[in-house]
Amino acid sequence: MRTLPVQGLSAEAVAAALEDYGRDDLPWRGGGTFAYVYVPEPSVEQVIKHAYMRFLTENALDPTVYPSLLRFEQDIIGIAAAHLGGDAQVVGNFTSGGTESVLLAVKTARDHARAMKPQIKTPNMVVPVSAHACFHKAAHYFDVGLRLVPVDPQTFQVRVADVAAAIDADTILLVGSACQYAHGVIDPIGDLGALALQHELLLHVDACIGGFILPFLRRLGEAVPPFAFDVPGVTSVSMDFHKYAYAAKGASVVLYRDKELRRHQIFTGARWTGYSVINPTILSSKSGGPLAACWAVLQHIGDGGYLRYAQRTLEATQRIRAAIEAAPGVRVLGDPTGPLLAFAADGFSVFPIVDAMRAKGWFVQPQLGFMGSPPNVHLSIDQSTLDVVDRFLPDLLAAIEVARQAPPPVPAEMLAMVQAIPPDAYNRQMYEMMMAGARAADGLPKDGTATINALLNAMGPELAAKVMTEYFNDLYAPPR
Ligand SMILES: Cc1ncc(COP(=O)(O)O)c(C=O)c1O
């Protein structure tokens, strides 16, 4: 189907082809997927789909002609601001996801500094290594320097002294996460706020994944410290609805303490011959579907429903954490608050666990080691997990045992060889050799990932990034 059909296909034929294309996708119904998707009860799906389709065609490019979309957005921003301890001054926008929210927060900080601190010519931001990689993307896109600081190797929280030491005269923005994705740990936001005030800097809290569920968990008795606008010094917060609010993908917000700061987010283009372009966010034309669907799911599940979802999520998380803590050879990293956790293995490779779980129909996520964080397996747990936890835990414990008994996915000599490759020596031929070797070792070209993950982990982030770029550059091209 790589050329247009001469005669259009019937609706039935298109529907059948769609099903065929979707055949091998990661299944998400039934709670088997511990990353990427967040699964509400089946009845909620219909509400989301109805709202999405009802506003699919409306264009959020121009809120003056689609007052519906403006109303949805104002409602959603109001809900988000109240949820995050904001007052009536807090403003914000609906975006396509966490990455866009963070990109905008960084771009806003840059343009705010250009206006308020014009002496700064090469702005930088101080970012914990545990903060999501979308901050690196923002640094790259907007030419803001990235001053990466380590995290405590026991708690995986950033240390305020390290952040303070990284601040210089060109620093415009500090960053903390509540919680960070990798280990599910909340940074010391209160202390970061005090530091930001002391240095008169902006502070962005990335609450993309934790922001929605954490206040519910606090109400359930969990020790959730203040992490958003209730912390003095916090100037912007990002929070995704397409994670623990169970909205359709394409639903996040970025909020600012006041309009003065948000002004720097808005792009207005009047110097061309066409219509006036006034874009608060990155996209211009965009479907009203995600916005309407987000509004609908918030109204439908409501406060009581989300509290119940949080309770179910908490119970599943506690059971999984306890089982991992009791299992020999593995340990939970740090002390996560909320529905995410990561575990590492001592004395064996953690990566075969991922393949052993996949073979049993579960998706758990491998994470490479970096700056004090060992290679590990990440789990994002949601309300649907509770229904499958009794089946999941025996399979997880068995997979850990398989990995504990398995030979290393890559022999030590090969790892040493890979570790010694300087990133500059990288070329296509080397890449092809590496991939062929990994496929042969796994014997499972499609699903086997342990060998390639062990190799990527050994080669370090610079070389690994080149390899992964090459892989995607091949992937998004016609097969050879
Ligand atoms: C803390 C945090 N920030 C940002 C993001 C990026 O969000 P998205 O994938 O919606 O762009 C994520 C995604 O998991 C996240 O956990």
Side-chain angles (χ1 to χ4, degrees):
M1 295 201 176
R2 294 225 176 85
T3 53
L4 278 177
V6 178
Q7 298 290 335
L9 305 181
S10 68
E12 293 75 26
V14 171
L18 290 172
E19 288 313 310
D20 182 50
Y21 272 49
R23 206 179 38 209
D24 294 333
D25 288 351
L26 197 60
W28 54 269
R29 281 200 176 81
T33 303
F34 287 76
Y36 303 132
V37 290
Y38 306 82
V39 185
E41 293 157 302
S43 60
V44 176
E45 206 183 317
Q46 298 314 316
V47 175
I48 293 172
K49 286 185 173 165
H50 172 74
Y52 201 107
M53 297 317 289
R54 168 64 182 80
F55 286 90
L56 173 75
T57 314
E58 279 66 14
N59 191 343
L61 165 67
D62 186 350
T64 67
V65 296
Y66 293 108
S68 58
L69 301 185
L70 185 59
R71 280 182 73 187
F72 291 140
E73 182 152 345
Q74 285 169 338
D75 287 354
I76 290 170
I77 296 299
I79 290 169
H83 197 62
L84 296 171
D87 60 21
Q89 304 302 310
V90 167
V91 291
N93 287 95
F94 186 81
T95 76
S96 62
T99 299
E100 188 182 358
S101 291
V102 166
L103 288 176
L104 286 168
V106 172
K107 182 252 184 265
T108 301
R110 186 200 64 180
D111 289 359
H112 174 263
R114 282 182 181 168
M116 311 305 284
K117 298 179 177 176
Q119 72 281 10
I120 295 181
K121 302 295 180 213
T122 51
N124 69 59
M125 56 181 165
V126 180
V127 177
V129 291
S130 56
H132 194 277
C134 58
F135 286 96
H136 305 220
K137 188 173 181 178
H140 181 65
Y141 278 16
F142 299 125
D143 206 15
V144 173
L146 187 67
R147 309 202 97 194
L148 271 189
V149 290
V151 290
D152 182 296
Q154 298 304 321
T155 66
F156 297 95
Q157 291 179 304
V158 74
R159 288 172 295 219
V160 178
D162 290 336
V163 176
I167 295 172
D168 70 7
D170 287 338
T171 301
I172 60 166
L173 179 67
L174 306 182
V175 169
S177 305
C179 47
Q180 39 99 322
Y181 182 85
H183 318 98
V185 163
I186 303 180
D187 283 325
I189 304 298
D191 296 342
L192 291 174
L195 190 68
L197 288 173
Q198 184 194 338
H199 290 267
E200 296 183 9
L201 294 169
L202 300 179
L203 169 60
H204 181 78
V205 173
D206 183 7
C208 278
I209 199 153
F212 193 78
I213 193 170
L214 284 174
F216 289 107
L217 293 176
R218 186 188 287 139
R219 279 162 60 185
L220 292 169
E222 290 297 285
V224 176
F227 65 88
F229 290 110
D230 42 0
V231 176
V234 171
T235 51
S236 57
V237 182
S238 46
M239 177 171 79
D240 293 355
F241 286 100
H242 65 200
K243 295 189 167 88
Y244 286 96
Y246 300 89
K249 288 282 179 290
S252 175
V253 291
V254 57
L255 302 180
Y256 299 91
R257 206 172 261 288
D258 57 40
K259 270 191 191 165
E260 281 311 306
L261 182 54
R262 197 270 301 275
R263 174 172 293 120
H264 300 281
Q265 180 184 289
I266 300 171
F267 172 83
T268 306
R271 285 159 58 84
W272 75 305
T273 53
Y275 61 92
S276 298
V277 170
I278 314 149
N279 290 155
T281 59
I282 291 177
L283 296 182
S284 205
S285 281
K286 53 185 174 183
S287 167
L291 181 59
C294 178
W295 185 91
V297 79
L298 294 174
Q299 303 301 320
H300 182 65
I301 297 180
D303 184 77
Y306 283 119
L307 195 62
R308 188 166 56 80
Y309 278 16
Q311 173 71 62
R312 287 170 52 78
T313 308
L314 180 62
E315 192 181 328
T317 307
Q318 286 170 338
R319 288 185 56 191
I320 292 172
R321 182 171 173 174
I324 294 170
E325 281 172 346
V330 290
R331 66 197 150 92
V332 171
L333 297 175
D335 181 16
T337 309
L340 315 173
L341 63 84
F343 64 93
D346 290 319
F348 62 96
S349 173
V350 82
F351 296 128
I353 295 173
V354 175
D355 293 342
M357 289 301 277
R358 191 76 195 268
K360 292 189 174 168
W362 307 102
F363 180 80
V364 298
Q365 194 174 43
Q367 299 189 126
L368 306 181
F370 183 59
M371 275 180 83
S373 177
N376 63 75
V377 171
H378 168 100
L379 304 176
S380 289
I381 294 151
D382 75 12
Q383 73 86 29
S384 70
T385 309
L386 192 60
D387 295 332
V388 296
V389 74
D390 286 330
R391 277 194 297 119
F392 174 73
L393 284 178
D395 284 350
L396 180 66
L397 297 179
I400 291 170
E401 211 39 44
V402 165
R404 218 155 72 94
Q405 307 299 335
V410 178
E413 321 78 75
M414 170 114 84
L415 283 186
M417 220 172 74
V418 166
Q419 263 157 359
I421 302 172
D424 291 349
Y426 174 81
N427 59 39
R428 176 77 197 183
Q429 198 189 357
M430 180 194 293
Y431 169 78
E432 283 179 357
M433 270 171 53
M434 220 183 280
M435 293 305 280
R439 282 198 195 98
D442 276 324
L444 280 170
K446 197 156 135 282
D447 296 329
T449 59
T451 305
I452 190 68
N453 279 322
L455 287 171
L456 290 169
N457 189 63
M459 68 184 66
E462 218 176 316
L463 188 54
K466 290 187 180 182
V467 169
M468 293 187 282
T469 302
E470 197 73 9
Y471 182 70
F472 265 52
N473 204 20
D474 283 349
L475 202 59
Y476 284 101
R480 298 190 196 197

